[in-house]
Amino acid sequence: MNATRSTDIAHRGKAMPERFPMALIVLHWVIAACIIAMLAIGLYMVGLPRGVPFKAALINFHKSLGLTVFLLVLMRIGVLMVSGRPPLPPMRAWQRAAASATQVLLYAAMVAMPVTGYLGSSFNTYGTRFWGMLLPKWGWDDKALRHFWFTLHEIVAWVFIAMIALHVAGALKHQLIDRDGLLRRMLP
């Protein structure tokens, strides 16, 4: 624990920011709201039977929003690489490892979700519309490949939901139990 504290103090001595830059804070909350909407829409629309009049519009909205989130995530990764992140408060090694693993899995899911969705849509006759503009297909009409990519999309969605729950639980633990100010780094 002392090594962790001295590492954090050393980072602070190098003028590391105590909070995330405003651009990352805004991107975090916009992306979070969009992802919650995406997951809710995705879970709702897969339960709709064929022939429901608004299902196609809902699917196209889901695809467009998903690709928009993908672009925002890439932007966030770029800003994070340039600006860095504030150091974590002192915590046990296993907590630091859990936080790091959760972050990696969250970013992996934020990239894998739109990629698997886009690939799944590339193997059907409809393709993907991005806010009305038809994007190039990377495949052909193939039921087996479409099923593979959409199954992977669904698996990643459930892993993503679990990681979001873990991320929120960790933030609440730091705020309500540890009271270490970790959540304040990401609040506007």
Side-chain angles (χ1 to χ4, degrees):
M1 182 118 147
N2 287 340
T4 302
R5 279 199 179 133
S6 64
T7 301
D8 287 335
I9 290 168
H11 284 301
R12 287 187 189 124
K14 293 181 181 178
M16 291 294 288
E18 291 295 320
R19 295 171 40 88
F20 282 94
M22 187 54 68
L24 282 174
I25 293 171
V26 169
L27 283 169
H28 176 274
W29 293 107
V30 168
I31 290 168
C34 289
I35 286 172
I36 290 168
M38 292 284 305
L39 290 169
I41 291 167
L43 291 171
Y44 174 71
M45 72 183 191
V46 296
L48 291 175
R50 286 185 174 199
V52 173
F54 61 89
K55 186 172 182 176
L58 196 59
I59 289 170
N60 283 324
F61 177 74
H62 179 80
K63 291 176 183 182
S64 293
L65 189 56
L67 289 172
T68 301
V69 169
F70 180 63
L71 294 173
L72 291 172
V73 167
L74 293 179
M75 186 184 313
R76 180 173 177 182
I77 291 169
V79 172
L80 189 57
M81 289 173 67
V82 170
S83 66
R85 63 176 53 240
L88 290 171
M91 63 180 71
R92 293 184 175 102
W94 71 266
Q95 289 175 322
R96 194 174 289 277
S100 178
T102 301
Q103 285 293 105
V104 167
L105 287 171
L106 280 169
Y107 276 100
M110 286 187 280
V111 170
M113 287 299 294
V115 169
T116 56
Y118 184 72
L119 288 171
S121 292
S122 287
F123 290 101
N124 71 22
T125 56
Y126 305 111
T128 300
R129 291 194 177 276
F130 182 61
W131 303 114
M133 180 179 67
L134 187 61
L135 297 179
K137 288 173 47 169
W138 291 8
W140 51 94
D141 191 16
D142 187 316
K143 187 175 181 178
L145 285 171
R146 180 173 58 247
H147 177 73
F148 170 79
W149 287 111
F150 283 145
T151 299
L152 191 55
H153 188 69
E154 184 178 347
I155 291 167
V156 172
W158 287 110
V159 170
F160 200 12
I161 290 168
M163 291 303 100
I164 291 168
L166 194 57
H167 181 67
V168 170
L172 290 174
K173 177 211 175 271
H174 281 279
Q175 183 66 23
L176 302 174
I177 296 171
D178 298 343
R179 299 179 189 269
D180 58 13
L182 185 76
L183 185 61
R184 186 173 47 246
R185 299 171 350 142
M186 193 49 81
L187 293 176

